[in-house]
Amino acid sequence: EVQLVESGGGLVQAGGSLRLSCAASGFTFDDHAIAWFRQDPGKEREGVSCSSRSDGSTYYADSVKGRFIISTDSDTVYLQMNSLRPEDTSVYFCAATPSRFGGPGCPIRASGYDYWGRGTQVTVSS
């Protein structure tokens, strides 16, 4: 079965860095898009970054461009977060979905993803 397990969250000072990891099993990145979302209480789940090998595309939210980097190895996706700001504080989720013929390589809405991890808390202090 598909499993996604996030790790690497924690407390960091503004301007610092964290690297989140998402260990994946039950599928391959070659035929799935994989993404990071974040969600605050009472808010919609927000797309942060996505990577799709099916079309070679990547996506970053405007709020994190130039600061965050998504990368993958054989079975893990990472989110390197630099120059962190207090507004980056959130629960971060890893998500994946099968690549669909004729569709976008990287869906940008949460409704476009079939599989989810449980999330990891990131807190940025000022």
Side-chain angles (χ1 to χ4, degrees), residues 19-64:
R19 188 177 73 165
L20 305 183
S21 298
C22 175
S25 61
F27 69 100
T28 65
F29 296 150
D30 288 341
D31 58 8
H32 284 68
I34 191 157
W36 289 96
F37 285 75
R38 62 189 182 188
Q39 187 173 23
D40 295 327
K43 302 292 186 180
E44 294 293 321
R45 196 162 291 187
E46 175 191 19
V48 177
S49 186
C50 176
S51 177
S52 173
R53 293 184 181 178
S54 66
D55 64 358
S57 64
T58 58
Y59 164 82
Y60 294 96
D62 288 343
S63 60
V64 307

Side-chain angles (χ1 to χ4, degrees), residues 28-112:
T28 65
F29 296 150
D30 288 341
D31 58 8
H32 284 68
I34 191 157
W36 289 96
F37 285 75
R38 62 189 182 188
Q39 187 173 23
D40 295 327
K43 302 292 186 180
E44 294 293 321
R45 196 162 291 187
E46 175 191 19
V48 177
S49 186
C50 176
S51 177
S52 173
R53 293 184 181 178
S54 66
D55 64 358
S57 64
T58 58
Y59 164 82
Y60 294 96
D62 288 343
S63 60
V64 307
K65 285 181 179 177
R67 299 190 297 121
F68 291 9
I69 302 170
I70 191 169
S71 62
T72 58
D73 60 19
S74 60
D75 60 1
T76 306
V77 61
Y78 305 94
L79 187 68
Q80 178 66 46
M81 304 185 294
N82 301 315
S83 301
L84 283 162
R85 305 166 181 169
E87 53 263 41
D88 294 319
T89 295
S90 192
V91 178
Y92 284 73
F93 297 87
C94 182
T97 196
S99 299
R100 293 173 171 83
F101 182 79
C106 264
I108 60 174
R109 296 183 178 181
S111 60

Side-chain angles (χ1 to χ4, degrees), residues 12-14 86 124-126:
V12 65
Q13 292 183 339
V124 184
S125 65
S126 60

